[in-house]
Amino acid sequence: MPNDTLSFVGSSFDLRAIRCLELYLVVSHEARLYAQTNKGAIAMLASGFTAAPISKYLLFGIVVSSILVSITDTKYLFHIQLVPHIWHYQQFWRLLLWQSCYNNSTELLFGVMTMYHLRIIERLWGSRKFASFLLTAIPPCSLIPPLALAILRPLTFSILNILPAGPTPLIFALLAQYHATIPTVYKYRIAVSSTSPDAVTFSDKSLVYLLAAQLAFSSSPGSIICAAAGWVVGMTWRRGLGPDIWTTWRVPEWLAGSKQARGGDFDDLRRRLEGEGNGTGHATGADGEVRRRAHGTGILDHFRGAF
C-alpha cells in the first residue's frame, strides 16, 4: 500500500482528504462558537423584521393607510398646495396629515422597499433610540418642506406649488443615518467587456440609494424638495447641530417595548462596539474562551478571502 494512503474499514482514503475533513470539523466547531458568542452581529443581517418591530409597524401602517385612502377616495385631503390650501383656505391641518400616506402606487412601492432596507438602523440602534429619532424628526420633516416651498414658489414664478403626500422626508432622514452609520461591505464594477476602461462601480448599498432616488424623482419637483429636506434634517440630527434635547431625548422604555429578553443580544453588541470605539473594551469571558474566539475568528477570516 502506498505511503500516502490509509486503509479504513475496507476503503482507501487519501491523507489529504482526511486532513481537509479535520480542517472542516475544526472550522465548523469554531464557527459554532463564533455564532454563539456573536448572535447579535449575525442577526443584524437576518431577513424579515427580526429585532425591528417599530420598522414593521411603520411600514405596515404606511401600506394600510395608503390603501384606505385609495378605497375611501380621500386622496385629495393629504397633499399640500400652497395656493389655495394654505394661503386661501388656511387648511393648516394638512401639515399634520400629509406624511401619513402615499397617494399613488409608485411612491408607495418605492417608499416601502426603501423603508424595508432601512430597518437595519433599528437593529443597530435599538427600538428605543429608533423610536426617539422618529418622534423628534417628524415635526421638522413636516414643517420644513412647506416652508421651503413657500420660499421657492415666488422664485420659480409659482411653478413650485405642490408637495405630494407621503413620508418621503422621514424616509430620507433615516437614509441619512443609513449613509452615515452602515459601512460598505463590498463593491463591484459593471462594464461592457472585461477590457473596457469605462466601468461603473457599485456597492452593496447602491440598491438602497437607487430605490431612494426613484422615490425622490417620482413626483418631482415636489418630491425632490421633500427628499432634500428630509436629508438635511437627518444630517442635522446626526451632527448634533440642533438643541441638545433634540438628540439626547429618549422615549420611555415601556413605550418602545425595550426588554432585555428581546434585545439582549443587540444591546451586548452595541456595548461592545461602543467600548471598542472608545478604547475601553473589556473581556467578557474567561481567557480560554477569548482565545477560542480569536482562533475561530482567525480561521474564518482566512476563508473569507477578500472580505
Side-chain angles (χ1 to χ4, degrees):
M1 182 180 297
N3 295 331
D4 61 343
T5 60
L6 176 67
S7 178
F8 182 72
V9 195
S11 301
S12 180
F13 289 87
D14 188 85
L15 287 178
R16 290 173 296 179
I18 294 178
R19 294 190 185 112
C20 291
L21 178 60
E22 291 175 350
L23 181 60
Y24 169 76
L25 294 176
V26 171
V27 172
S28 299
H29 176 69
E30 298 297 342
R32 284 194 297 270
L33 290 177
Y34 182 84
Q36 291 175 0
T37 56
N38 297 273
K39 291 184 291 184
I42 294 174
M44 288 286 290
L45 302 177
S47 61
F49 290 97
T50 303
I54 296 179
S55 298
K56 178 177 67 174
Y57 297 143
L58 180 62
L59 189 148
F60 288 164
I62 295 172
V63 173
V64 171
S65 62
S66 300
I67 293 175
L68 289 178
V69 166
S70 179
I71 293 175
T72 57
D73 197 18
T74 55
K75 295 180 179 180
Y76 62 92
L77 296 175
F78 292 91
H79 70 282
I80 293 179
Q81 287 183 264
L82 285 181
V83 178
H85 294 160
I86 304 300
W87 293 154
H88 295 171
Y89 302 150
Q90 285 81 45
Q91 295 178 349
F92 297 108
W93 50 265
R94 290 180 181 266
L95 301 177
L96 303 176
L97 299 179
W98 73 282
Q99 285 198 97
S100 58
C101 65
Y102 281 110
N103 278 354
N104 63 72
S105 58
T106 301
E107 290 178 315
L108 177 62
L109 174 63
F110 288 103
V112 167
M113 292 177 66
T114 306
M115 188 67 203
Y116 179 78
H117 286 283
L118 297 179
R119 73 197 186 283
I120 193 174
I121 299 297
E122 182 178 0
R123 292 176 178 172
L124 179 65
W125 285 354
S127 297
R128 186 184 183 190
K129 183 177 179 180
F130 186 77
S132 304
F133 171 77
L134 291 179
L135 292 178
T136 55
I138 286 176
C141 286
S142 299
L143 297 177
I144 291 179
L147 291 176
L149 186 64
I151 296 174
L152 295 175
R153 184 177 182 273
L155 299 178
T156 58
F157 303 100
S158 302
I159 295 176
L160 296 178
N161 188 53
I162 300 177
L163 287 179
T168 299
L170 188 61
I171 291 176
F172 271 81
L174 286 172
L175 184 67
Q177 312 309 314
Y178 177 86
H179 173 76
T181 59
I182 305 301
T184 299
V185 178
Y186 60 87
K187 294 182 179 180
Y188 56 94
R189 303 177 67 190
I190 298 179
V192 178
S193 63
S194 59
T195 60
S196 176
D198 299 328
V200 181
T201 302
F202 295 95
S203 70
D204 58 306
K205 299 169 66 175
S206 298
L207 175 61
V208 182
Y209 295 139
L210 290 175
L211 292 173
Q214 178 63 40
L215 178 63
F217 288 96
S218 58
S219 296
S220 59
S223 57
I224 297 177
I225 296 176
C226 296
W231 185 271
V232 170
V233 170
M235 282 300 179
T236 302
W237 186 93
R238 179 72 187 174
R239 299 179 180 179
L241 300 179
D244 291 340
I245 192 173
W246 189 41
T247 57
T248 59
W249 177 80
R250 296 292 182 268
V251 299
E253 292 186 3
W254 61 267
L255 184 60
S258 177
K259 295 182 180 179
Q260 185 66 22
R262 292 172 54 187
D265 296 334
F266 296 95
D267 292 339
D268 294 340
L269 174 63
R270 283 189 292 273
R271 280 194 291 270
R272 290 202 299 270
L273 291 175
E274 291 174 358
E276 293 174 1
N278 297 330
T280 59
H282 57 279
T284 59
D287 293 340
E289 182 180 357
V290 173
R291 285 194 296 270
R292 287 197 302 272
R293 292 181 190 173
H295 180 59
T297 304
I299 293 177
L300 291 176
D301 289 339
H302 174 73
F303 282 94
R304 286 191 185 106
F307 294 98

